[in-house]
Amino acid sequence: MEKYGYRFSFGPWNIHAGADPFGPEVRPSLTFAQKLSLYKELGFDAVQFHDDDAVPDLNDLAPAQIRERARAVRRQLQDHGLVAEFVAPRLWEHPMTIDGAYTSNDAKARAYAIERSKRAADIAQELACGLMVLWLAREGTYMRESKDVGRAAHQLLAAVNTLLTYDKEIRIAIEPKPNEPMDLAYIPTMGHALALGFQADDPKRVGVLMESAHSILAGLDPADEIGFAMAFGKLWSVHLNDQNGLKFDQDRSFGAVDLRRAFNQVRVLDANRFWEIGIVGLDVKAIRTQPAELATKHLRNSIQMFLRLVELSRSLDHQTIQQLIAARDYEELDWLILSHLMGK
Ligand code: 3MF
Ligand code: MG
């Protein structure tokens, strides 16, 4: 498989048993070891981790034990020729995070969230990836009057600063999402995430992760979100996927809903040489109807889609495009792009 210098990643949660809020699992769960053995044959190079994907039950372990178990995972990765891309603290499942993590109204819950995030940084260090992703799942409200947005902004900034001080090497990529699980999230878009990062004590070490579905849920164009962050050298990771309109976060295969929207994400990433900057993460899920033995095709489809779109992006007739732009003939440009996507 020609990969044009790109490396690809996904998280263990992207091979899953098909449970949804309305029904149970429909496929057997694979163990972490079984999942690891699938990465290379699917064309992937790197693994994304939640802290407890790497070290299960870490709340019951001492920091030194957590580090030791993380080192064992690093050896497991090496055995498969894989690397870790990032570690993200899972700040949305524990009872302490019911009302938020860094922005909880309960000081004990905020302290829990900080401690848990420090452990995630320790794991990132042991896995030698140096990158922490913050998806701020429960930082927001169901009830607007229950929290203060300005105070929350400062609490989020303080949490980022605490982590930057705790680990002098770690880089933090904030993954914005406008809603789900919260009604209204405090960091809904790339602009919010970047603004927060630029305020940090060491802004050089704070960037963003753009997830296509999250941008679409915010009513924005993922390609523009990518381009805006890349303009400032801040796009350090992506979660490419697709999303059919404004409903629950679907994590559909990349390009499955809107081919042109996917094409433009790849076009902007490729024009800005993302292969030299980061790993292409695919945060996709198999639809629930997929039989167990066929439940990795969403990953195959997404990686193939990305690579086919790189080819299409590079084979555009750039000279004609420049002429059409000069003539302001954007309708012809529209047709040129659509024809290209349809294979003429
Ligand atoms: C939620 C997500 C998450 C994050 C992950 C890593 C489960 O919509 O996209 O995936 O990507 O927690 O930050
Ligand atoms: Mg994601």
Side-chain angles (χ1 to χ4, degrees):
M1 186 194 299
E2 167 61 81
K3 287 163 73 175
Y4 303 103
Y6 283 101
R7 291 181 300 154
F8 295 89
S9 66
F10 67 87
W13 63 89
N14 295 117
I15 298 178
H16 82 123
D20 69 16
F22 305 99
E25 300 188 342
V26 291
R27 299 181 283 261
S29 300
L30 302 192
T31 63
F32 177 63
Q34 286 171 319
K35 291 178 185 180
L36 268 196
S37 64
L38 295 170
Y39 273 74
K40 280 281 163 177
E41 70 184 56
L42 287 163
F44 288 81
D45 312 279
V47 182
Q48 308 179 346
F49 286 94
H50 294 123
D51 48 8
D52 58 0
D53 293 324
V55 182
D57 304 318
L58 78 168
N59 283 319
D60 305 332
L61 301 173
Q65 291 174 302
I66 293 173
R67 282 186 180 273
E68 193 184 305
R69 296 201 186 175
R71 280 197 290 278
V73 174
R74 185 171 176 197
R75 288 191 292 275
Q76 235 180 327
L77 292 177
Q78 282 165 345
D79 290 344
H80 286 88
L82 295 165
V83 296
E85 186 197 356
F86 66 68
V87 177
R90 196 193 292 277
L91 296 174
W92 54 91
E93 283 186 359
H94 193 273
M96 286 303 265
T97 59
I98 287 173
D99 191 28
Y102 308 135
T103 66
S104 171
N105 281 329
D106 178 351
K108 284 197 296 299
R110 295 199 297 274
Y112 163 83
I114 296 286
E115 282 312 304
R116 172 99 185 211
S117 306
K118 288 179 177 172
R119 299 294 81 77
D122 295 348
I123 295 170
Q125 208 176 65
E126 297 298 344
L127 295 182
C129 59
L131 183 64
M132 176 186 277
V133 166
L134 291 182
W135 171 46
L136 301 164
R138 295 199 188 274
E139 314 296 6
T141 53
Y142 304 111
M143 193 65 63
R144 279 182 180 150
E145 297 83 358
S146 67
K147 290 186 184 176
D148 179 285
V149 60
R151 189 181 64 168
H154 284 284
Q155 286 168 328
L156 291 169
L157 184 58
V160 166
N161 285 336
T162 301
L163 294 170
L164 292 173
T165 305
Y166 174 71
D167 182 333
K168 293 281 188 290
E169 305 286 315
I170 198 116
R171 297 190 311 152
I172 296 175
I174 300 171
E175 178 179 351
K177 182 177 182 181
N179 60 279
E180 198 198 37
M182 304 314 290
D183 175 29
L184 294 162
Y186 284 137
I187 304 294
T189 70
M190 205 56 60
H192 292 80
L194 288 169
L196 191 73
F198 283 125
Q199 295 296 316
D201 289 343
D202 188 359
K204 286 189 308 303
R205 288 195 286 137
V206 189
V208 292
L209 179 155
M210 190 295 314
E211 171 156 333
S212 323
H214 299 180
S215 297
I216 296 161
L217 286 169
L220 300 171
D221 176 53
D224 277 1
E225 293 266 274
I226 288 170
F228 187 70
M230 290 192 93
F232 303 109
K234 288 297 188 188
L235 189 78
W236 298 344
S237 187
V238 289
H239 271 175
L240 301 183
N241 55 21
D242 215 347
Q243 170 72 28
N244 192 13
L246 302 183
K247 45 188 141 192
F248 64 94
D249 183 6
Q250 296 181 305
D251 294 336
R252 292 292 310 278
S253 295
F254 183 50
V257 178
D258 187 331
L259 194 55
R260 187 173 187 175
R261 190 167 60 194
F263 166 71
N264 277 310
Q265 292 170 70
V266 174
R267 188 176 60 78
V268 175
L269 286 168
D270 203 53
N272 288 288
R273 307 176 73 87
F274 187 73
W275 70 89
E276 293 176 348
I277 298 169
I279 300 177
V280 176
L282 295 159
D283 195 3
V284 292
K285 292 219 175 74
I287 50 182
R288 196 165 188 261
T289 44
Q290 197 67 2
E293 64 283 9
L294 307 174
T296 56
K297 292 197 173 176
H298 59 304
L299 291 159
R300 179 206 65 185
N301 293 357
S302 297
I303 207 168
Q304 290 299 335
M305 176 59 74
F306 184 92
L307 292 169
R308 295 276 296 270
L309 291 175
V310 170
E311 280 167 28
L312 284 175
S313 176
R314 293 187 182 183
S315 60
L316 278 172
D317 180 351
H318 292 285
Q319 206 181 339
T320 303
I321 290 174
Q322 283 316 312
Q323 287 163 2
L324 294 175
I325 291 170
R328 224 173 61 204
D329 192 355
Y330 300 155
E331 294 289 4
E332 192 64 34
L333 175 58
D334 199 23
W335 187 241
L336 181 149
I337 298 292
L338 290 171
S339 302
H340 198 63
L341 290 177
M342 290 189 292
K344 298 289 179 231

